[in-house]
Amino acid sequence: MTLVVSRFAILFFFLMTSVYCMLAYVPFAYTHLIASTEVNNPESGPAWLAAFARIHPLIYIPALGLIWVTWPQNRNRRTFFSIYGLLGLVLLIRPVLSNLQLGPMSLAYAVFFLTPLIWIGVLDYRAHREEVPWFASGTHAHPRLFFSALASGLGVAVLYALIALIRQGRAPDFSIVTFSFISHAVIFAGIFVLLHLIHAIATRFETSVWIEFVAGGVMLAILIAATIRQHVLHPISVHGLAAIFYPASVGTAVAIFLAGFGTRLHAGRVKPFDSGLDMVLRPLVSARRAPFRVIVPAVLAVVLSTTTRFFDWNFMIQKLAVVVVWVLAFAAVYSLNFALAPMRRPVVFLAVALVFLAGFKAIDAENLSLDDYAGHDISFRVARELLEPTPLAAELSLYKLLATYTNIPHAVKIDPVEINLVRELVPTVAEKPHVFIFVIDSLRKDYLGAYNPRVTFTPNLDAFARENITMKNAFTRYGATGLSQPSIWAGAMLLHKQYVMPFYPMNALQRLIDVEGYDGYTAYDAILRMILKRSERLGELSENPQKGYFEFCHSTREIMAKLENSPDRPQFFYIQPQNIHISVINREKQSVPPGEKYPGFFEPYAARIKTIDHCFGEFVAFLKAKGLYDKSIIVVTSDHGDALGEGGRWGHAYTIFPEILRIPLIFRIPPAMREKVSWDPDEIAFTIDITPSIYYLLGHRPIEKHRIFGRPLFTETPEERRIRQDHWLVASSYGPVYGLLSRNGEKLYIADGVSFKEYYFDFNRDPEGTTAARLPTEMKERYDRILRQEIAVLNEFYRFNREDERRRAAR
Amino acid sequence: MSLTCPDEDQERRHSILAPLVVLVIFVLTIFTSTRQAASTEKLDAATATRLVKEVDDLKRDKKYEEALAIMERLYEDYPTHINLRRIADINRELERYAEEAEAWEKFMLVAPTPDEACLALGEAYRLAGELEKMVDACERCVAMDPSSDNYRALAEAYTATNRTDSAAEALSALDRR
């Protein structure tokens, strides 16, 4: 048992180290998970990741110790421990993980830290291969294979259906569950057919067990590599050689490590094998007692499904867990080695597999609404993704284009293009009101009474909305903060890169503050630290020291204190409080103050909004008491919404579903300004319209018109804010997922280049936007054409052409 | 190499063939099935007539996006001026004026009486904010059909681009007629 625990601890440690280095190679992951961990930002990496990097050299030593004590007998330690011992010393002097930089060196480290696994695996194998009986028992293996595949497939289908039942809180449609079972049966029948073929080929040779052992290891390596590539690297836009090389390295290292370990565990065995698979799967079923072997994957499935869903990255962790559970379940059932009557005719089993396949094809799945169920039954989600028809060539070409222009790598040097919302930015003679921009991270509009009459916990924000201007049809252009927040400052859509630097030429809002001589203060979160130019004009607001993040009440009290000191000078404040960010809610264990109830709402989220509302009420009362309320532009909005269980989704990751794109947008304009302008609260409005609106209100006119720019929402004549477009590009901040909002925001088309799917929402027919409608092929083709055009317009503005860039690189 | 007897050998040869065939069936069935594509065959006349009626229904229900998508598909197979007029009309409803103007421009190239597009084309350019193109369209229209309506449109176009002298000239040309 000690050996098993030690080996898995070693595997876990080196894998974690490698994954951490890989994160530093990916621009998006580096920005949000590595570079900003010390600022304890909810949008950035979890604290444990930063802690792991800090103490990595200290864990490395005991990890080496574990390798020492489990070292294969009669094998020379000198070379291994000379190299890796020296590395340990280097790590102590100059830790690698906490000094990683974005770039190819991180990828090199990621692969290097896999080498101990390969070394140990090879040594284990070489030390013990002579002690293993490499001959077959001669038993027909197909009944055992068939039973293992079918039982484990249907077992996980039942298990995840039960988990889905608990997660959904209601029984799913019988036909959908049946389809799920058949889908699982087809996949596991396919696995059976493949393993059976390998077995059949292997048994033609004397070394059949060894051949199956190698083939099983290769299959495991391919499975690991494909899973990492598809479910981890593709969503975060890692493409090209790195997307092949790294998953292949991990798959190879883990497979060799486990194969070597399997050999060691079978050392001294006398009884012949049924198949070489016994060797490969042995490390995965280390529990001595048979029931425990089955219980382990079941418990793992339940625990991971219930604990990870709130902070998961669009099902990424849950899908990885499903693949692990599938393998463990198969290994567990296989290890039980039920004594089936040896049937000499495998054709019967193959025929059953074909019957499953025919049954699967016979079901008209198009008529089942599977998306919602697949959000709760993650095993079915994975099965469905595997079995779904391949996208058409034209669709693949679009997805390729989306991926090409998404998360443009750090190494690609792009010069900034000035975003000039007016021809010449010079100070105006207009009176300068105070400007307060409150971007409440992840705030959904349907959690404010101003937008949803069922809400009773936001009386202050509702009163504020009533006496001011509520844009009823507001959206963000970007899912997630990465690009949403910078786009608010730019007043325009941005190139999909984090970030084009220096950002200042594109930062229309900061340039306005500078030109107009505002005293500014902002909460410098991880993103603003990167994009804002440090200047005396833009001071710093602090995090709440008790909570460790930018918290609304702390920030508003800080703002009130600043105003007390100099109420007469025009001041600018921008805050992005993180009270209701899903990671903060999870960090605070989804706590709800005792006695508070919010039926029909996600209570931890609603409770925190109530707190925000209370402090907002205090702030407005302060402004009124000081006579500043009528001298202030106040904007209350959010950078994006959030998924709170819709279709099993949580958080905002890289999706741009309606609950992510819809946001509140409430303006207060000083009465003297208000009486001179008009607006249309029902017209489509975006967060990128905030900066052009402030420009206009401060007297900077006319506002330049461009498809990628925002527009002033308040103008003296309707013509000045007239919209000359019917489609608005929206995108995810982090993945190749783009969309089009059309017809004044009545329709939303999404081309999801991560899951290769399209979604279409018609808010006229489905105001909540909970169910994706079927999209006629003609319309889809039309939307795809427009999507390409809109992306071309964006790239043209920023003078970026990937082909040109590639040609330059080639030269 | 094999240590088995001939009978067993024969059985095992079969046992390779069967899973191999089944595996190929699995792979072909699962991995080569693609999503349903739009038909690339030319729409027959009956289908086209049905689709035109469908477009009319969609327009009545103000579902212009859907109507436009079908019209564009129809236009691919039947590039007639009638279909271009329908596309332009739907784009007007969608307030997509640049696309409307594009459709009218095509209309003028293929229609037997291109001047039918004149007023709408100028208006589309005006709404799209393309005032120079509006002037150009109106000048072409006057050259094609010097009707009073076209002269008035041209004068308006000149006025919109602050060419008051030209506008006055256009109006006096109208008076001279």
Side-chain angles (χ1 to χ4, degrees):
Chain A
M1 198 62 191
T2 314
L3 177 67
V4 171
V5 172
S6 303
R7 277 291 188 264
F8 277 103
I10 293 163
L11 176 65
F12 182 74
F13 172 74
F14 282 104
L15 266 186
M16 269 296 297
T17 307
S18 170
V19 167
Y20 188 95
C21 296
M22 188 60 193
L23 291 177
Y25 171 73
V26 183
F28 146 72
Y30 178 81
T31 305
H32 294 281
L33 300 175
I34 307 287
S36 57
T37 39
E38 72 275 14
V39 295
N40 204 16
N41 185 324
E43 198 71 17
S44 59
W48 63 264
L49 203 60
F52 175 73
R54 271 198 307 276
I55 61 169
H56 179 261
L58 300 177
I59 315 176
Y60 183 85
I61 305 299
L64 274 190
L66 283 179
I67 297 171
W68 181 277
V69 295
T70 57
W71 193 255
Q73 284 178 351
N74 306 324
R75 291 283 141 183
N76 194 333
R77 289 180 165 95
R78 193 180 308 146
T79 315
F80 182 93
F81 285 98
S82 300
I83 294 172
Y84 293 100
L86 189 65
L87 175 66
L89 287 175
V90 173
L91 286 177
L92 283 172
I93 299 162
R94 192 181 183 282
V96 168
L97 265 55
S98 45
N99 289 298
L100 281 173
Q101 295 298 316
L102 182 60
M105 266 315 284
S106 295
L107 177 62
Y109 279 126
V111 175
F112 174 75
F113 278 110
L114 296 170
T115 54
L117 299 178
I118 297 173
W119 196 317
I120 295 165
V122 170
L123 271 183
D124 270 343
Y125 171 75
R126 291 181 64 182
H128 299 284
R129 65 182 165 179
E130 306 297 338
E131 302 161 33
V132 172
W134 292 103
F135 50 88
S137 63
T139 311
H140 284 272
H142 52 266
R144 184 180 170 197
L145 273 178
F146 182 78
F147 176 78
S148 304
L150 196 64
S152 52
L154 291 178
V156 290
V158 171
L159 178 67
Y160 276 93
L162 290 172
I163 294 170
L165 176 70
I166 295 164
R167 279 170 63 151
Q168 272 188 303
R170 61 184 158 81
D173 193 315
F174 179 73
S175 55
I176 295 176
V177 176
T178 307
F179 184 61
S180 166
F181 282 22
I182 296 262
S183 302
H184 281 89
V186 166
I187 288 171
F188 280 82
I191 292 169
F192 157 71
V193 175
L194 180 61
L195 292 176
H196 179 47
L197 178 64
I198 291 171
H199 180 73
I201 293 170
T203 50
R204 295 175 74 93
F205 300 94
E206 277 181 71
T207 53
S208 67
V209 171
W210 186 83
I211 289 170
E212 274 187 275
F213 167 70
V214 172
V218 170
M219 277 179 64
L220 187 63
I222 291 171
L223 176 70
I224 292 168
T227 304
I228 292 173
R229 183 178 154 83
Q230 186 59 31
H231 296 306
V232 181
L233 298 187
H234 176 61
I236 55 174
S237 297
V238 179
H239 302 288
L241 274 179
I244 298 167
F245 182 60
Y246 182 70
S249 303
V250 177
T252 307
V254 174
I256 290 176
F257 183 85
L258 290 178
F261 188 31
T263 314
R264 182 166 179 172
L265 288 172
H266 280 294
R269 176 183 168 128
V270 179
K271 197 179 156 198
F273 293 103
D274 285 354
S275 127
L277 265 187
D278 285 299
M279 296 275 286
V280 181
L281 299 176
R282 175 68 181 85
L284 305 176
V285 281
S286 301
R288 279 181 191 278
R289 294 187 182 175
F292 284 121
R293 294 179 200 166
V294 180
I295 287 170
V296 167
V299 170
L300 196 68
V302 172
V303 170
L304 288 176
S305 289
T306 47
T307 56
T308 59
R309 64 176 165 148
F310 293 112
F311 63 84
D312 200 358
W313 185 254
N314 199 30
F315 304 104
M316 182 196 287
I317 300 171
Q318 294 174 84
K319 286 197 279 193
L320 292 178
V322 162
V323 176
V324 172
V325 167
W326 281 10
V327 173
L328 290 182
F330 178 80
V333 180
Y334 189 77
S335 75
L336 297 179
N337 196 5
F338 282 107
L340 293 176
M343 289 191 65
R344 291 176 65 84
R345 295 203 173 276
V347 172
V348 176
F349 296 107
L350 295 170
V352 173
L354 282 176
V355 168
F356 285 135
L357 187 65
F360 172 75
K361 293 303 284 182
I363 294 177
D364 184 9
E366 285 215 348
N367 288 327
L368 302 173
S369 51
L370 302 170
D371 279 341
D372 187 50
Y373 180 70
H376 299 280
D377 183 339
I378 312 302
S379 183
F380 172 58
R381 191 178 193 91
V382 175
R384 194 172 156 229
E385 284 176 7
L386 272 173
L387 298 174
E388 258 186 344
T390 316
L392 297 165
E395 293 169 333
L396 285 174
S397 142
L398 174 71
Y399 295 138
K400 194 176 167 197
L401 177 121
L402 298 184
T404 303
Y405 289 108
T406 302
N407 286 337
I408 298 165
H410 188 69
V412 177
K413 177 85 179 114
I414 298 169
D415 293 325
V417 174
E418 275 202 9
I419 292 178
N420 295 313
L421 295 180
V422 287
R423 286 224 174 119
E424 196 180 2
L425 185 58
V426 289
T428 57
V429 291
E431 197 182 334
K432 307 282 180 292
H434 297 301
V435 177
F436 304 95
I437 303 178
F438 297 152
V439 182
I440 300 164
D441 199 326
S442 311
L443 178 61
R444 286 167 59 133
K445 65 192 277 187
D446 58 343
Y447 273 68
L448 297 183
Y451 291 93
N452 180 0
R454 290 197 302 114
V455 173
T456 56
F457 43 86
T458 55
N460 296 303
L461 282 161
D462 299 348
F464 177 76
R466 271 196 302 279
E467 63 191 35
N468 293 294
I469 301 160
T470 306
M471 303 308 291
K472 294 177 189 158
N473 199 16
F475 297 88
T476 177
R477 287 293 191 98
Y478 292 102
T481 309
L483 290 174
S484 176
Q485 184 168 228
S487 73
I488 293 174
W489 286 80
M493 288 206 80
L494 298 167
L495 208 57
H496 210 293
K497 177 173 167 62
Q498 295 183 23
Y499 296 95
V500 174
M501 299 301 268
F503 192 81
Y504 190 73
M506 295 175 293
N507 198 332
L509 186 55
Q510 190 172 13
R511 295 209 323 268
L512 177 71
I513 299 161
D514 289 345
V515 165
E516 290 291 9
Y518 271 89
D519 285 341
Y521 293 94
T522 188
Y524 282 90
D525 58 23
I527 293 166
L528 293 187
R529 272 176 206 278
M530 279 186 271
I531 66 162
L532 292 186
K533 183 174 156 185
R534 288 297 181 135
S535 80
E536 289 177 2
R537 290 220 169 279
L538 204 53
E540 192 162 350
L541 297 172
S542 62
E543 288 180 354
N544 182 330
Q546 273 91 47
K547 306 222 172 188
Y549 57 85
F550 289 107
E551 191 263 330
F552 187 85
C553 296
H554 181 80
S555 293
T556 48
R557 282 167 198 155
E558 214 176 346
I559 292 171
M560 289 188 274
K562 304 262 184 225
L563 287 170
E564 286 275 16
N565 292 337
S566 53
D568 299 326
R569 276 191 59 77
Q571 302 204 43
F572 168 91
F573 295 92
Y574 176 100
I575 60 169
Q576 179 141 346
Q578 292 133 354
N579 301 48
I580 54 171
H581 195 282
I582 192 72
S583 66
V584 167
I585 291 177
N586 286 330
R587 198 188 302 165
E588 295 176 345
K589 303 193 186 328
Q590 301 193 4
S591 61
V592 178
E596 290 189 15
K597 290 274 173 223
Y598 303 90
F601 296 94
F602 179 49
E603 297 202 335
Y605 185 88
R608 283 159 182 78
I609 292 176
K610 188 182 176 188
T611 306
I612 289 173
D613 179 79
H614 174 75
C615 294
F616 185 75
E618 275 181 6
F619 174 72
V620 169
F622 169 85
L623 290 184
K624 285 180 176 172
K626 297 287 175 190
L628 300 176
Y629 193 53
D630 287 345
K631 296 177 187 168
S632 299
I633 293 174
I634 306 173
V635 185
V636 177
T637 188
S638 60
D639 54 344
H640 53 77
D642 221 358
L644 298 175
E646 288 82 2
R649 302 183 292 271
W650 287 90
H652 34 278
Y654 48 74
T655 57
I656 50 171
F657 287 115
E659 70 271 11
I660 309 282
L661 291 182
R662 287 169 155 168
I663 46 133
L665 184 56
I666 308 170
F667 276 88
R668 170 162 186 84
I669 303 172
M673 284 180 175
R674 182 173 165 147
E675 63 193 26
K676 291 181 192 158
V677 293
S678 66
W679 61 89
D680 182 350
D682 295 315
E683 234 173 29
I684 192 165
F686 294 99
T687 44
I688 62 169
D689 297 337
I690 294 170
T691 294
S693 298
I694 295 172
Y695 264 68
Y696 189 95
L697 292 171
L698 295 184
H700 298 276
R701 306 171 190 178
I703 301 294
E704 293 288 310
K705 290 184 176 176
H706 194 285
R707 288 183 82 81
I708 71 158
F709 287 3
R711 66 187 177 110
L713 298 173
F714 314 98
T715 54
E716 290 183 2
T717 63
E719 185 57 33
E720 289 173 281
R721 59 172 191 276
R722 186 171 177 77
I723 311 167
R724 296 203 186 282
Q725 63 190 90
D726 192 51
H727 298 287
W728 290 269
L729 183 68
V730 289
S732 152
S733 285
Y734 305 135
V737 182
Y738 288 75
L740 288 169
L741 274 162
S742 307
R743 296 293 293 160
N744 201 38
E746 288 172 8
K747 297 168 199 301
L748 170 64
Y749 170 69
I750 300 169
D752 183 339
V754 172
S755 55
F756 301 129
K757 275 186 187 172
E758 302 82 36
Y759 302 90
Y760 177 64
F761 296 91
D762 184 339
F763 300 130
N764 276 335
R765 297 175 203 175
D766 172 25
E768 301 294 318
T770 48
T771 312
R774 188 162 302 170
L775 185 66
T777 311
E778 290 84 2
M779 277 186 71
K780 185 192 133 31
E781 287 172 352
R782 177 176 174 72
Y783 277 131
D784 287 347
R785 274 201 303 275
I786 298 169
L787 204 52
R788 286 170 186 268
Q789 287 164 4
E790 295 293 329
I791 292 171
V793 168
L794 191 65
N795 291 330
E796 191 185 343
F797 179 83
Y798 288 103
R799 300 181 204 132
F800 176 66
N801 184 315
R802 206 67 209 268
E803 291 309 312
D804 287 352
E805 183 258 314
R806 282 198 184 120
R807 274 194 288 272
R808 266 201 304 277
R811 282 203 295 273
Chain B
M1 197 71 174
S2 173
L3 297 177
T4 51
C5 68
D7 282 352
E8 281 181 334
D9 257 5
Q10 193 175 359
E11 188 187 318
R12 282 181 178 158
R13 264 199 298 279
H14 284 298
S15 71
I16 289 176
L17 189 62
L20 186 63
V21 169
V22 175
L23 188 66
V24 169
I25 293 171
F26 261 73
V27 169
L28 289 178
T29 310
I30 293 169
F31 296 112
T32 60
S33 70
T34 50
R35 295 179 190 176
Q36 203 176 356
S39 170
T40 49
E41 285 178 22
K42 183 173 174 174
L43 300 169
D44 59 44
T47 310
T49 310
R50 181 180 58 74
L51 288 177
V52 168
K53 190 177 173 311
E54 200 176 312
V55 167
D56 289 340
D57 292 344
L58 288 166
K59 281 168 70 178
R60 201 169 40 248
D61 295 341
K62 298 193 185 306
K63 294 175 184 166
Y64 298 114
E65 287 277 352
E66 291 90 331
L68 185 62
I70 295 173
M71 270 321 303
E72 287 184 342
R73 173 73 184 91
L74 264 171
Y75 178 72
E76 276 177 23
D77 289 350
Y78 297 93
T80 65
H81 67 287
I82 300 167
N83 285 338
L84 281 167
R85 180 197 292 277
R86 290 194 179 108
I87 288 172
D89 288 344
I90 298 171
N91 273 312
R92 168 65 64 93
E93 295 293 346
L94 287 166
E95 298 176 18
R96 210 176 281 149
Y97 304 116
E99 286 86 345
E100 183 198 346
E102 192 185 326
W104 284 126
E105 289 284 12
K106 285 183 190 165
F107 178 95
M108 288 179 79
L109 292 175
V110 297
T113 49
D115 53 295
E116 282 178 38
C118 277
L119 293 179
L121 176 62
E123 178 68 358
Y125 277 132
R126 187 184 70 76
L127 291 167
E130 300 274 11
L131 298 182
E132 287 305 326
K133 286 185 180 172
M134 174 187 165
V135 170
D136 176 60
C138 291
E139 285 174 347
R140 278 187 283 142
C141 283
V142 164
M144 203 186 320
D145 173 26
S147 67
S148 53
D149 282 347
N150 284 344
Y151 267 111
R152 276 199 197 90
L154 179 60
E156 280 174 26
Y158 283 139
T159 310
T161 50
N162 297 323
R163 280 179 252 175
T164 44
D165 291 348
S166 301
E169 204 176 302
L171 287 173
S172 53
L174 175 62
D175 291 339
R176 284 198 299 274
R177 289 181 69 251

